[in-house]
Amino acid sequence: GPTATRLRQRSRVGQLVPGQGPVRVCAVVDRAFRLDEPLAALAADGVYVLPCHEIENIYLQPLAIAALLEQMGKAAIEPHQLTRDAADALAGRWILLRARTILGPATLSPTVGDLARRTTWPDIQGSADTWADTMVNADPGLDHPTSLRFRAELGSATAEYGRIRDSPELLWKRCFGKELSQALAGTLGLRDSEALEARLLQLWIAGTVPRPPHVAAISQSLDSIPVLS
């Protein structure tokens, strides 16, 4: 996967400076759906894991989105609700990917992924058990033990999504960063996610809102890497 590739690349770079002794090279990976044990293993191996789902999540900072909305004459829109609406449209896929991460290397039918991509939070809320059964039944090739585990992990992931979607402090950090930054750009009438990012960067540079704590954490980690001369 991408993480394994980055670790191999880091190892190769460390071999390119003969006679210099151990070379510190930083690998930075998304937090994504990684659980505590894999996160600890990566950290122990010197890998910096982003404190949010992926780097694009920093552009979902509620304070910055609120300042941008005010700048655009749309202050009546509540930032968390804006983000939640966009996240809810992708809830099925978020829940499936989290469940698959915990489930492990089981192979699922493409039909399961197609079904998840078409599922929003309103489709799931209030009928989570029925939706989970539909997802499991969409792959008749699963053996019974795997079906039971998949069903349980879907339930756990659904509960987790329900928890974070109601939290202004968690949702913007844990949702899909790339997809939501693109969705918010469209909702706000901006050309694309790059246009959204440019507007938010200007707000941070001007000091209109404080930069997300994630940015400081990333900067500190990168600054701690010695530069070879």
Side-chain angles (χ1 to χ4, degrees):
T3 299
T5 300
R6 290 173 190 172
L7 293 179
R8 286 195 299 272
Q9 291 170 340
R10 186 189 66 166
S11 177
R12 290 169 186 160
V13 171
Q15 299 169 19
L16 294 178
V17 190
Q20 294 288 338
V23 178
R24 291 195 63 199
V25 182
C26 180
V28 180
V29 299
D30 296 334
R31 187 185 195 283
F33 294 101
R34 292 183 175 90
L35 303 177
D36 291 343
E37 187 173 340
L39 287 173
L42 286 170
D45 197 30
V47 176
Y48 180 74
V49 182
L50 294 173
C52 49
H53 190 82
E54 49 196 348
I55 190 65
E56 289 82 1
N57 286 73
I58 66 173
Y59 298 107
L60 304 176
Q61 182 197 30
L63 283 175
I65 295 295
L68 178 59
L69 288 168
E70 183 173 357
Q71 195 177 74
M72 300 176 76
K74 301 179 179 181
I77 300 176
E78 203 278 315
H80 176 63
Q81 186 63 53
L82 186 70
T83 303
R84 184 164 63 181
D85 288 345
D88 283 352
L90 302 169
R93 183 165 167 262
W94 191 97
I95 291 168
L96 173 61
L97 291 180
R98 187 179 192 278
R100 287 196 66 170
T101 299
I102 304 174
L103 182 65
T107 301
L108 299 177
S109 166
T111 305
V112 176
D114 292 340
L115 179 59
R117 280 189 289 273
R118 298 194 305 269
T119 305
T120 67
W121 182 247
D123 297 326
I124 301 170
Q125 192 175 31
S127 56
D129 290 341
T130 300
W131 179 72
D133 289 339
T134 301
M135 290 284 285
V136 173
N137 293 335
D139 191 347
L142 291 177
D143 59 56
H144 186 61
T146 303
S147 294
L148 292 178
R149 288 177 53 229
F150 183 36
R151 174 69 175 74
E153 297 306 342
L154 284 171
S156 175
T158 299
E160 177 66 2
Y161 180 78
R163 182 179 76 88
I164 69 167
R165 76 178 293 275
D166 289 332
S167 170
E169 290 300 315
L170 290 177
L171 180 60
W172 70 281
K173 302 172 187 175
R174 299 280 303 279
C175 63
F176 291 131
K178 291 183 181 70
E179 290 91 336
L180 261 70
S181 60
Q182 186 65 40
L184 262 60
T187 300
L188 297 177
L190 299 173
R191 182 183 69 254
D192 53 25
S193 59
E194 290 188 6
L196 173 67
E197 293 167 8
R199 295 287 294 268
L200 297 178
L201 280 171
Q202 288 302 313
L203 291 171
W204 290 325
I205 292 170
T208 305
V209 292
R211 302 183 186 196
H214 307 56
V215 175
I218 295 168
S219 297
Q220 289 171 7
S221 176
L222 296 179
D223 288 345
S224 69
I225 304 169
V227 178
L228 297 177
S229 57

